[in-house]
């Protein structure tokens, strides 16, 4: 898709075929001791990132990124937890290295079906399921509707309905409004990859100065690669629209109602400087999830697993230790 085309226009078959070359084949080594592989499911292909080598006997864990993110968002945390869990991070359809789904479904249900399909195809469940932002929304829905696939739940700044949303989150929500993405594309056509990356980091991090120059340049190159994909804007806009639509559902389909149905131990991580998910929703979340514990990071932003991975790793280990003790106590009951 060129910068002048509508973001709502699905990528042509020829363009998708061309960009399929950007999807790494199975077993390709990535930077930092990670491996990327492609998993083929019905109507889609998903790229999965793992640490290499993988230790046997560790608890299976799946990490799900947020809107506009990728499996690489979890690299720092996965590295810290490599001795604790057998972790995998997925690129949702249309993000990272995963191509668009054949049916063009970027709804929360569509993304959830992709994650469930991955878990079922690899028979890894129940897993310790970890999600950030939109990935937290997806993980919540899976934990509520498919409890057989989830052992514990960890949500980093989960995108759950908030009314009214904080002012700094409005521009992201407006991406779902017809015509707004086209205006943004035209207005930012001449932006350098450095400026685009700087704006994104400023939105997601509580303290953007924590990013080293090397990390910044790596992020800029990756952002440049992804924004050049013909389906980039289509995936972003449709996923944003799917998230906004999920916020409006009522009854048993309400995200807060589904949070109340989650029975597994749940770790909630919220940042005090989050510009996308207000810290005030942490209190409602701790009440909604029945077996919850809260990690508050006062100077954290929207992606605490990237900004403060040591704190998140410590809380996650505590969650697993608590779950293990509970499981041991249950198994020893007469």
């Amino acid at each position: 898709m060129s910068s002048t085309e509508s973001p709502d226009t699905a990528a042509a078959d020829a363009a998708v075929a061309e960009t399929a070359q950007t999807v790494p084949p199975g077993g390709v080594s990535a930077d930092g001791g990670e491996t990327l592989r492609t998993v083929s499911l019905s109507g889609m292909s998903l790229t999965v990132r793992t640490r290499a080598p993988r230790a046997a006997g560790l608890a299976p864990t799946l990490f799900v990124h947020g809107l506009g993110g990728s499996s690489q968002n979890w690299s720092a945390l996965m590295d810290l937890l490599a001795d604790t869990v057998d972790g995998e991070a997925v690129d949702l359809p249309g993000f990272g290295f995963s191509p668009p789904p054949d049916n063009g479904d970027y709804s929360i249900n569509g993304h959830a079906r992709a994650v469930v399909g991955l878990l079922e195809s690899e028979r890894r469940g129940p897993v310790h399921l970890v999600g950030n932002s939109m990935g937290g929304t997806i993980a919540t829905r899976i934990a509520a509707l498919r409890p057989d696939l989830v052992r514990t739940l960890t949500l980093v700044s989960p995108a759950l309905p908030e009314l009214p949303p904080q002012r700094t989150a409005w521009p992201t929500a407006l991406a779902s409004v017809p015509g707004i993405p086209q205006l943004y594309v035209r207005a930012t056509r001449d932006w350098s990859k450095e400026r685009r990356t700087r704006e994104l980091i400023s939105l997601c991090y509580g303290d953007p100065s924590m990013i080293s120059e090397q990390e910044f340049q790596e992020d800029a190159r990756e952002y440049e690669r992804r924004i050049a994909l013909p389906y980039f804007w289509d995936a972003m806009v449709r996923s944003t629209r799917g998230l906004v639509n999920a916020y409006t559902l009522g009854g048993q389909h309400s995200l807060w109602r589904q949070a109340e149905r989650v029975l597994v131990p749940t770790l909630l991580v919220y940042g005090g400087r989050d510009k996308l998910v207000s810290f005030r929703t942490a209190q409602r979340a701790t009440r909604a999830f029945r077996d919850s514990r809260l990690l508050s990071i006062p100077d954290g932003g929207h992606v605490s697993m990237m900004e403060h991975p040591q704190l998140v790793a410590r809380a996650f280990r505590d969650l697993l230790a608590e779950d293990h003790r509970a499981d041991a106590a249950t198994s020893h009951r007469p």
Side-chain angles (χ1 to χ4, degrees), residues 7 15 64 125 141 151 154 156 255 257-258 283 288 294:
V64 186
R141 181 151 290 179
R151 179 66 182 263
T154 297
V156 182
L255 288 171
R257 181 72 62 83
Q258 291 184 341
Q283 292 186 352
L294 174 65

Side-chain angles (χ1 to χ4, degrees), residues 15-304:
V16 172
E18 177 182 352
T19 58
Q21 299 174 12
T22 67
V23 181
V28 170
S29 295
D31 293 337
E34 296 180 330
T35 297
L36 300 176
R37 74 179 190 281
T38 298
V39 178
S40 296
L41 303 174
S42 177
M44 71 183 71
S45 295
L46 299 177
T47 298
V48 178
R49 181 182 301 266
T50 59
R51 294 291 304 171
R54 300 170 69 174
L58 297 180
T61 303
L62 183 66
F63 301 88
V64 186
H65 65 80
L67 180 67
S70 75
S71 60
Q72 195 170 5
N73 294 163
W74 299 103
S75 292
L77 184 60
M78 288 174 64
D79 184 46
L80 291 174
L81 296 174
D83 62 344
T84 305
V85 300
D86 179 13
E88 293 186 343
V90 61
D91 283 334
L92 293 170
F95 294 93
F97 284 103
S98 292
D102 290 352
N103 61 4
D105 185 358
Y106 289 105
S107 67
I108 294 300
N109 281 340
H111 284 309
R113 281 192 290 270
V115 175
V116 168
L118 174 64
L119 291 174
E120 290 183 333
S121 71
E122 298 193 329
R123 299 181 180 177
R124 297 189 78 228
V127 299
H128 299 288
L129 188 59
V130 186
N132 168 237
S133 191
M134 183 182 74
T137 310
I138 296 165
T140 297
R141 181 151 290 179
I142 293 172
L145 301 180
R146 291 295 307 271
D148 58 306
L149 295 177
V150 182
R151 179 66 182 263
T152 68
L153 185 64
T154 297
L155 305 176
V156 182
S157 296
L160 297 172
E162 177 186 353
L163 294 174
Q166 58 182 337
R167 180 177 55 83
T168 48
W170 272 106
T172 301
L174 287 174
S176 65
V177 178
I180 296 296
Q182 293 93 326
L183 293 175
Y184 177 82
V185 168
R186 288 196 292 269
T188 62
R189 182 183 300 120
D190 297 328
W191 283 15
S192 66
K193 65 176 186 286
E194 288 79 12
R195 181 176 179 183
R196 294 181 186 277
T197 305
R198 194 171 294 111
E199 293 287 335
L200 182 61
I201 289 175
S202 177
L203 180 65
C204 293
Y205 276 68
D207 182 5
S209 67
M210 294 183 65
I211 300 289
S212 69
E213 181 60 25
Q214 179 180 350
E215 290 173 325
F216 177 82
Q217 293 301 328
E218 291 174 353
D219 290 344
R221 286 192 293 271
E222 173 61 11
Y223 195 4
E224 184 179 42
R225 178 193 72 82
R226 290 168 60 189
I227 203 170
L229 296 172
Y231 52 81
F232 174 86
W233 285 111
D234 193 53
M236 282 290 295
V237 171
R238 290 176 183 269
S239 292
T240 303
R241 192 170 295 153
L243 184 59
V244 172
N245 288 342
Y247 280 13
T248 66
L249 297 177
Q252 64 178 349
H253 301 293
S254 162
L255 288 171
W256 284 115
R257 181 72 62 83
Q258 291 184 341
E260 294 170 351
R261 293 173 57 183
V262 175
L263 301 179
V264 298
T266 301
L267 170 63
L268 301 168
V269 182
Y270 282 85
R273 296 182 180 177
D274 195 332
K275 297 177 182 177
L276 294 171
V277 172
S278 174
F279 185 76
R280 68 174 181 262
T281 62
Q283 292 186 352
R284 182 174 183 181
T286 55
R287 293 193 301 267
F289 291 93
R290 301 188 188 190
D291 185 6
S292 67
R293 61 279 296 141
L294 174 65
L295 171 62
S296 300
I297 305 178
D299 57 348
H302 191 60
V303 288
S304 291

